[in-house]
Amino acid sequence: MDCAACTTKVTRAVERLPGVSQVHVALMSERLSLNLEPETTRPEEIEALVRKLGFGIAPKARDALRKKVLAMPQASGPGSAPGSASFQTPRPSMKDACATGCCSPASSHDDDHSHGNASHGHDGHDGHGAASHSHDDPADRGKPWFRTVKGGLVILTGLLLAVAWIFELLTSAETGYWAFMAACLIGVAPVAKRAFEAARMGQPFTIESLMTIAAVGALVIGAAEEAALVVFLFAIGEVLEGVAADKARNGIRALADLVPKTALLERDGRMRDVPADSLEIGQIVVVRPGDRVPADGEIVEGVSGIDESPVTGESVPRSKGPGEPVFAGSINTEAVLRVRVAREPSDNTIARIIRLVEEAEEARAPTERFIDRFSRWYMPAVVAMAALVVIVPPLAFGADWNTWIYRGLALLLIGCPCALVISVPASIASALSSGARRGLLMKGGAVIEAAANIRHVAFDKTGTLTRGRPVVTRVLPAAGVGEAELLAVAAAVEAGSSHPLAQAILRRAKDGGIVPLPSRDARALPGKGVEALVGGALAWVASPRAASEKAGIDGPAIHQASELEAQGMTVVAVFREGKPLGMIAMRDEPREDAAEAIRQLEALGVSAVMLTGDNPRTAAAIAEGLGLDHQAEMMPGDKLAAIREAAATGGVMMIGDGINDAPALKQASVGVAMGSGTGVALETADAAILRDRVTDVPALIRLARVTMGNIRQNVALALGLKAVFLVTSVLGLTGLWIAILADTGATVLVTLNALRLLAYNPESEG
């Protein structure tokens, strides 16, 4: 599909069928999805209808999936008739054909080229099923233009035109006229056929019908040579539009290519190459240096640098070892790794990002919905205006009929709204692809438009502005006690604990090469700390208050602990029975780029505030260091109220971890999950940041604003060219071939302008 008017035509045709509802046609991913009431219209009828419109349609694993669907008990949703249910048909891929005449018919690849696993599901709430995921036929990619069906039409019409000119040169003008007429009729025949099918389905105002009327009308008034030239230029324009649209889709296709096609599977001590999409959870794969990781999983053996830039955009490789997760598509840079598969190929990180981007294309921006409504009235208005141009001057002023019929036909051609209709989805698709390559995910045009209007950003603290993992900042041994002894006892007490503070102490001991003393019988003291037998005697790691009750800390140390807590640190006292050993101070440190992110937001005219449930002292210490406002000790309801209050003065973006901040993320104009919450964010939040970078927040806003600017440029370009050539066509300054060239040129220019977003770097402030 090369033109946004394609989606309108398919949608309107399919939704007229009995039992069909919720029809969605995605232009850039070339997919059709709908809800179909059982025992109404058969899926084969829908496919046949789409083919009549000039498309090839290839459902994925069609027959197997359909049998599975028909065999499944149907769950009713609201609005369904009793005993019936809605289900979503497999999403087909539409290739090499355009429903509006922007492309030529293509053959279907229903069975030979369908591949992969399709899925189907039901939703008891609304009757929507889970959409299957499909890709267009790999055999159709990368073909030179002259080997495509549209390219063949260009060659055919070009040869016919050349033959007609030769006939005219070698014979007479009269013979040449008939040759040009034959070239025109042969070239316009497939377009006229689709125009007839569309008219039968209640859609008389399509580019096919306009093109057919213009060509036949030109023949009637004796402009056969120009009619043939218009058909040829139309075919060239479709090839150019196809190339431009294909470039816009390459961003999404490139994501799929990040995952290797094969994997080195280890089984029974032997290794063999297997298709990556056949891997199962729990299997062990070997990833050699330089290879891409074939599946989401966990390292079971080996330590190596992992380049995650294909997935997150983070350019610096991260050293990872046993127990740490790796993403499908990331690159192993140093040593051999053995990785246990943790997710099925259809649910790995890359697949989920692709699904998100494709589904986001269907979440239409308000601007796009307005333009779609506008175009519904625009086409009949253009036809009516062309009719008036043809009729009024000859009848009212006695003007020449042939002259004004010619001008009316030119007006019909220049009036095609393809450039206007594609102006928004082309920009949105390019922005989604550009953002996805940099770890910035947004769920559709509506989110992009809302993000462009953001005036306030609210941050959660833990895991967002901070790392979400406390680190030891101060080690304060008591008099006569060494730092190594203090850490050895503390690590012994905390050995085996998964508490974040315990993990911070254990990491500090490990980094210092300190081996924890032998310990046993550790137990938690709720609200106080932990105790254990270390070296045959009790030892504690406890809060300063609990330690003072057991004489584990003296007066000066208590005062020092209070000062450290005022700086936003968490302090624990380490002591044995009657003997203080010292204190350890820890803090969840801000991310290195947090302060820079706040500065960039200010430069964008966006205010920032930190909303946290932490105590006021900790919150103040973090906020003051970053230079932003804060509100502390906030419950989820308090965060909701704060966001509602900020929304009164402009759009609000909430940045959280996607789990405990879910209510606030939903309340905000745009909810963005980052850090540990990005897995959840792919399904819950409006947008997600895959990298642990706070500076990606202003980058997200910059990308949204540049995208909306690009959309405004496209709309102005499309309408401006239309306005100019509508006037020149009426005045007789431009003819049929200029009209079709201007229309096709506008569509190509708009698409190419949208493609500039693929190269835009939102991390740059310039």
mmCIF file of all heavy atoms in Angstrom, residues 506-521:
data_model
loop_
_atom_site.group_PDB
_atom_site.id
_atom_site.type_symbol
_atom_site.label_atom_id
_atom_site.label_comp_id
_atom_site.label_asym_id
_atom_site.label_seq_id
_atom_site.Cartn_x
_atom_site.Cartn_y
_atom_site.Cartn_z
ATOM 1 N N LEU A 506 26.943 -5.998 50.786
ATOM 2 C CA LEU A 506 27.659 -7.151 50.244
ATOM 3 C C LEU A 506 28.479 -6.760 49.013
ATOM 4 O O LEU A 506 29.600 -7.248 48.828
ATOM 5 C CB LEU A 506 26.661 -8.260 49.895
ATOM 6 C CG LEU A 506 25.977 -8.934 51.101
ATOM 7 C CD1 LEU A 506 24.833 -9.829 50.634
ATOM 8 C CD2 LEU A 506 26.998 -9.759 51.893
ATOM 9 N N ARG A 507 27.942 -5.877 48.175
ATOM 10 C CA ARG A 507 28.699 -5.425 47.006
ATOM 11 C C ARG A 507 29.934 -4.649 47.428
ATOM 12 O O ARG A 507 31.011 -4.804 46.844
ATOM 13 C CB ARG A 507 27.808 -4.566 46.101
ATOM 14 C CG ARG A 507 26.830 -5.339 45.250
ATOM 15 C CD ARG A 507 26.240 -4.448 44.144
ATOM 16 N NE ARG A 507 25.534 -3.306 44.693
ATOM 17 C CZ ARG A 507 24.249 -3.286 45.025
ATOM 18 N NH1 ARG A 507 23.521 -4.375 44.840
ATOM 19 N NH2 ARG A 507 23.678 -2.196 45.511
ATOM 20 N N ARG A 508 29.792 -3.800 48.449
ATOM 21 C CA ARG A 508 30.943 -3.011 48.906
ATOM 22 C C ARG A 508 32.033 -3.921 49.457
ATOM 23 O O ARG A 508 33.230 -3.715 49.195
ATOM 24 C CB ARG A 508 30.491 -2.013 49.974
ATOM 25 C CG ARG A 508 31.626 -1.175 50.567
ATOM 26 C CD ARG A 508 32.376 -0.366 49.485
ATOM 27 N NE ARG A 508 33.483 0.395 50.038
ATOM 28 C CZ ARG A 508 33.377 1.663 50.449
ATOM 29 N NH1 ARG A 508 32.220 2.308 50.337
ATOM 30 N NH2 ARG A 508 34.410 2.293 50.943
ATOM 31 N N ALA A 509 31.633 -4.939 50.198
ATOM 32 C CA ALA A 509 32.618 -5.875 50.739
ATOM 33 C C ALA A 509 33.324 -6.633 49.614
ATOM 34 O O ALA A 509 34.554 -6.795 49.623
ATOM 35 C CB ALA A 509 31.939 -6.855 51.696
ATOM 36 N N LYS A 510 32.547 -7.061 48.635
ATOM 37 C CA LYS A 510 33.129 -7.800 47.519
ATOM 38 C C LYS A 510 34.094 -6.936 46.729
ATOM 39 O O LYS A 510 35.187 -7.377 46.349
ATOM 40 C CB LYS A 510 32.007 -8.321 46.617
ATOM 41 C CG LYS A 510 32.496 -9.124 45.422
ATOM 42 C CD LYS A 510 31.329 -9.608 44.569
ATOM 43 C CE LYS A 510 31.829 -10.390 43.361
ATOM 44 N NZ LYS A 510 30.693 -10.847 42.514
ATOM 45 N N ASP A 511 33.701 -5.679 46.459
ATOM 46 C CA ASP A 511 34.565 -4.770 45.712
ATOM 47 C C ASP A 511 35.877 -4.501 46.451
ATOM 48 O O ASP A 511 36.912 -4.248 45.833
ATOM 49 C CB ASP A 511 33.843 -3.442 45.457
ATOM 50 C CG ASP A 511 32.669 -3.606 44.495
ATOM 51 O OD1 ASP A 511 32.616 -4.637 43.803
ATOM 52 O OD2 ASP A 511 31.808 -2.702 44.464
ATOM 53 N N GLY A 512 35.817 -4.537 47.783
ATOM 54 C CA GLY A 512 37.024 -4.304 48.572
ATOM 55 C C GLY A 512 37.824 -5.567 48.827
ATOM 56 O O GLY A 512 38.831 -5.533 49.569
ATOM 57 N N GLY A 513 37.391 -6.685 48.260
ATOM 58 C CA GLY A 513 38.098 -7.951 48.452
ATOM 59 C C GLY A 513 37.990 -8.490 49.864
ATOM 60 O O GLY A 513 38.858 -9.250 50.321
ATOM 61 N N ILE A 514 36.918 -8.121 50.563
ATOM 62 C CA ILE A 514 36.734 -8.542 51.961
ATOM 63 C C ILE A 514 35.830 -9.766 51.999
ATOM 64 O O ILE A 514 34.710 -9.746 51.469
ATOM 65 C CB ILE A 514 36.126 -7.397 52.795
ATOM 66 C CG1 ILE A 514 37.088 -6.201 52.808
ATOM 67 C CG2 ILE A 514 35.810 -7.860 54.206
ATOM 68 C CD1 ILE A 514 36.483 -4.942 53.365
ATOM 69 N N VAL A 515 36.289 -10.820 52.646
ATOM 70 C CA VAL A 515 35.515 -12.061 52.755
ATOM 71 C C VAL A 515 34.678 -12.013 54.026
ATOM 72 O O VAL A 515 35.212 -11.789 55.120
ATOM 73 C CB VAL A 515 36.440 -13.295 52.793
ATOM 74 C CG1 VAL A 515 35.621 -14.576 52.934
ATOM 75 C CG2 VAL A 515 37.312 -13.338 51.548
ATOM 76 N N PRO A 516 33.347 -12.180 53.937
ATOM 77 C CA PRO A 516 32.497 -12.157 55.132
ATOM 78 C C PRO A 516 32.907 -13.254 56.112
ATOM 79 O O PRO A 516 33.313 -14.359 55.711
ATOM 80 C CB PRO A 516 31.095 -12.406 54.575
ATOM 81 C CG PRO A 516 31.167 -12.011 53.136
ATOM 82 C CD PRO A 516 32.560 -12.344 52.698
ATOM 83 N N LEU A 517 32.815 -12.959 57.401
ATOM 84 C CA LEU A 517 33.097 -13.963 58.420
ATOM 85 C C LEU A 517 32.030 -15.047 58.398
ATOM 86 O O LEU A 517 30.902 -14.802 57.962
ATOM 87 C CB LEU A 517 33.138 -13.304 59.804
ATOM 88 C CG LEU A 517 34.248 -12.250 60.012
ATOM 89 C CD1 LEU A 517 34.053 -11.554 61.349
ATOM 90 C CD2 LEU A 517 35.620 -12.908 59.937
ATOM 91 N N PRO A 518 32.363 -16.242 58.902
ATOM 92 C CA PRO A 518 31.341 -17.300 58.961
ATOM 93 C C PRO A 518 30.184 -16.858 59.857
ATOM 94 O O PRO A 518 30.399 -16.253 60.908
ATOM 95 C CB PRO A 518 32.091 -18.488 59.560
ATOM 96 C CG PRO A 518 33.538 -18.203 59.307
ATOM 97 C CD PRO A 518 33.680 -16.715 59.382
ATOM 98 N N SER A 519 28.953 -17.160 59.413
ATOM 99 C CA SER A 519 27.782 -16.772 60.203
ATOM 100 C C SER A 519 26.690 -17.818 60.062
ATOM 101 O O SER A 519 26.688 -18.621 59.126
ATOM 102 C CB SER A 519 27.261 -15.414 59.737
ATOM 103 O OG SER A 519 26.820 -15.490 58.388
ATOM 104 N N ARG A 520 25.754 -17.773 61.048
ATOM 105 C CA ARG A 520 24.607 -18.677 60.994
ATOM 106 C C ARG A 520 23.475 -18.083 61.823
ATOM 107 O O ARG A 520 23.660 -17.107 62.542
ATOM 108 C CB ARG A 520 24.982 -20.066 61.528
ATOM 109 C CG ARG A 520 25.481 -20.088 62.959
ATOM 110 C CD ARG A 520 25.968 -21.482 63.346
ATOM 111 N NE ARG A 520 26.558 -21.512 64.679
ATOM 112 C CZ ARG A 520 25.871 -21.718 65.809
ATOM 113 N NH1 ARG A 520 24.556 -21.920 65.752
ATOM 114 N NH2 ARG A 520 26.488 -21.730 66.979
ATOM 115 N N ASP A 521 22.318 -18.709 61.665
ATOM 116 C CA ASP A 521 21.126 -18.329 62.441
ATOM 117 C C ASP A 521 20.782 -16.849 62.273
ATOM 118 O O ASP A 521 20.400 -16.172 63.242
ATOM 119 C CB ASP A 521 21.325 -18.641 63.936
ATOM 120 C CG ASP A 521 21.527 -20.120 64.205
ATOM 121 O OD1 ASP A 521 21.115 -20.924 63.345
ATOM 122 O OD2 ASP A 521 22.100 -20.466 65.244
#
